Amino acid sequence: MSETTGCTADWHLEHSAPGQILHYLDPRRPFARQINILTNRFRDIQALCNDGAASPALTRLRNALAFHMVRMSRWWRFDFCPRGVTGVRNPLFLTYVKAHAERSAEDDALFDLFTLQRHMHAGDGGHILVVGHDPLTAPSVSILYGVDGQRNFRFATSSRGGEPLWNGKAYPDFASAWLAARAVHALIQDDSADIHEYETAHREHMWVRSWHHRHFHRSGKLPVIRLYAQANAQLMNCQSAFGRAEMKTVVERMAFDIARTAFQRHMTVADLIEESDALSISLRSANTIKQRARAYVATCIDPMARPEMDTLLDRVVSYVPRRCP
């Protein structure tokens, strides 16, 4: 695959700012789309900088994207190794992150909270840094979100003009806190349907968290076909709209990984299924896998990288391996 998307430095300065890519306070936006675009833009800009296009503005943008990769890894709780994901050595990547934090008091406070905690009561679950408010709730109820000294996410509710009351529970990622807050908001509004929906979504998000955690893993104990079968079984059990949407994206990503593996091994998807001996998947599933892989590219891959990924999928579909007579 090519090293860059061919976009110019000026194009990135106009289109690749973190605020145009990331939606921290709305976990209904697909996690995979945000992190895929973020990492692709960083790699592209890093390549431009290495080729001599490192203007001060482009350097600042690269540093900002580096910081937000670290922030996203905490926000969604996924494993993140800078060298493995971006090709940049970890110590050098960290200098980019620190350079950005030094230019932003808000980002510096959050980076400190997730690292040295010089400005926090270190390890204190009652010392909370506010990171945003929920703009989509009823005007009479306000919801705040924060991260405590134990690096867990928290939420608080308050009536109009009242002091926020922080919920006693802590959550490992923002989406968990958001779903719990929405359930409490529905309880305040006496909306039984929404209470059930968000409580169900919270349980289903717990299934999805392990998939987010392994997002950048390229190898594991189970073959990709079996991982796809596991994810598809979990999707079939999801009942909430949020849970189905999250799990659907995971299944589509697994389908894309299957197609990519088939491409790399010069096989058809059907042959890969047959080789895996995954009894829970029939050979007729090959077309469904291809369709889901297409959907993943269309919705979760950086638009700048889609033509290359579409070409990859085209080659998987058209390739027919030679067989011995």
Side-chain angles (χ1 to χ4, degrees):
M1 299 299 174
S2 61
E3 186 177 3
T4 71
T5 60
C7 297
T8 65
D10 287 341
W11 186 92
H12 279 295
L13 290 172
E14 184 177 353
H15 298 283
S16 297
Q20 297 174 276
I21 299 170
L22 305 174
H23 305 276
Y24 284 109
L25 297 179
D26 187 1
R28 291 170 298 187
R29 306 278 187 134
F31 153 78
R33 175 182 172 84
Q34 295 183 74
I35 194 60
N36 287 345
I37 294 178
L38 180 63
T39 54
N40 193 63
R41 300 294 169 87
F42 173 87
R43 286 191 292 257
D44 207 39
I45 292 170
Q46 177 69 1
L48 289 170
C49 290
N50 289 342
D51 288 342
S55 66
L58 193 67
T59 299
R60 288 194 296 269
L61 177 57
R62 177 201 63 192
N63 295 347
L65 295 175
F67 167 82
H68 282 281
M69 273 189 271
V70 173
R71 178 175 174 176
M72 279 286 284
S73 72
R74 303 300 302 182
W75 211 258
W76 287 91
R77 286 292 170 106
F78 58 82
D79 284 343
F80 174 63
C81 170
R83 185 170 186 174
V85 174
T86 69
V88 177
R89 291 180 295 106
N90 292 14
L92 179 58
F93 189 89
L94 189 58
T95 66
Y96 299 162
V97 175
K98 290 180 176 178
H100 170 79
E102 289 172 358
R103 298 178 58 87
S104 168
E106 180 180 346
D107 290 343
D108 180 60
L110 193 57
F111 181 66
D112 177 74
L113 169 58
F114 285 133
T115 55
L116 299 177
Q117 295 194 339
R118 296 166 300 176
H119 310 315
M120 293 287 291
H121 299 164
D124 184 355
H127 197 197
I128 300 172
L129 175 68
V130 174
V131 295
H133 73 280
D134 197 322
L136 302 176
T137 50
S140 61
V141 180
S142 176
I143 295 179
L144 291 178
Y145 297 103
V147 183
D148 65 23
Q150 296 178 349
R151 302 184 179 94
N152 290 314
F153 288 87
R154 305 281 294 277
F155 72 89
T157 57
S158 66
S159 57
R160 185 187 299 273
E163 287 292 321
L165 176 64
W166 289 97
N167 187 277
K169 292 185 178 180
Y171 302 90
D173 64 342
F174 178 78
S176 297
W178 184 86
L179 289 165
R182 285 304 181 93
V184 168
H185 179 262
L187 180 63
I188 294 171
Q189 298 294 309
D190 195 25
D191 188 333
S192 58
D194 271 2
I195 293 172
H196 176 75
E197 175 73 11
Y198 286 114
E199 287 180 343
T200 302
H202 191 275
R203 289 194 299 271
E204 292 167 355
H205 175 66
M206 292 175 66
W207 304 344
V208 185
R209 281 205 310 242
S210 64
W211 297 96
H212 292 337
H213 180 73
R214 302 192 304 265
H215 180 79
F216 285 113
H217 291 197
R218 285 293 175 255
S219 62
K221 295 180 180 179
L222 290 178
V224 66
I225 293 287
R226 292 189 179 274
L227 289 173
Y228 172 84
Q230 285 185 359
N232 195 50
Q234 288 184 332
L235 173 61
M236 296 300 101
N237 288 327
C238 286
Q239 297 179 359
S240 71
F242 185 91
R244 286 193 300 272
E246 265 202 312
M247 204 65 226
K248 178 174 178 287
T249 299
V250 171
V251 170
E252 289 172 351
R253 178 166 68 87
M254 291 294 102
F256 177 74
D257 284 347
I258 291 172
R260 179 167 52 189
T261 300
F263 172 80
Q264 293 168 345
R265 296 186 58 191
H266 306 290
M267 300 174 69
T268 65
V269 171
D271 283 342
L272 201 63
I273 293 172
E274 191 171 26
E275 179 189 81
S276 73
D277 194 29
L279 299 180
S280 56
I281 299 182
S282 69
L283 294 180
R284 291 191 299 273
S285 299
N287 286 334
T288 300
I289 290 172
K290 294 171 189 174
Q291 292 167 4
R292 285 173 164 172
R294 292 278 187 197
Y296 186 74
V297 169
T299 58
C300 291
I301 294 294
D302 188 347
M304 299 303 102
R306 284 177 197 165
E308 194 169 15
M309 295 299 101
D310 282 333
T311 299
L312 182 154
L313 295 179
D314 288 342
R315 291 175 179 175
V316 172
V317 171
S318 62
Y319 180 78
V320 179
R322 290 180 299 172
R323 300 185 186 277
C324 297

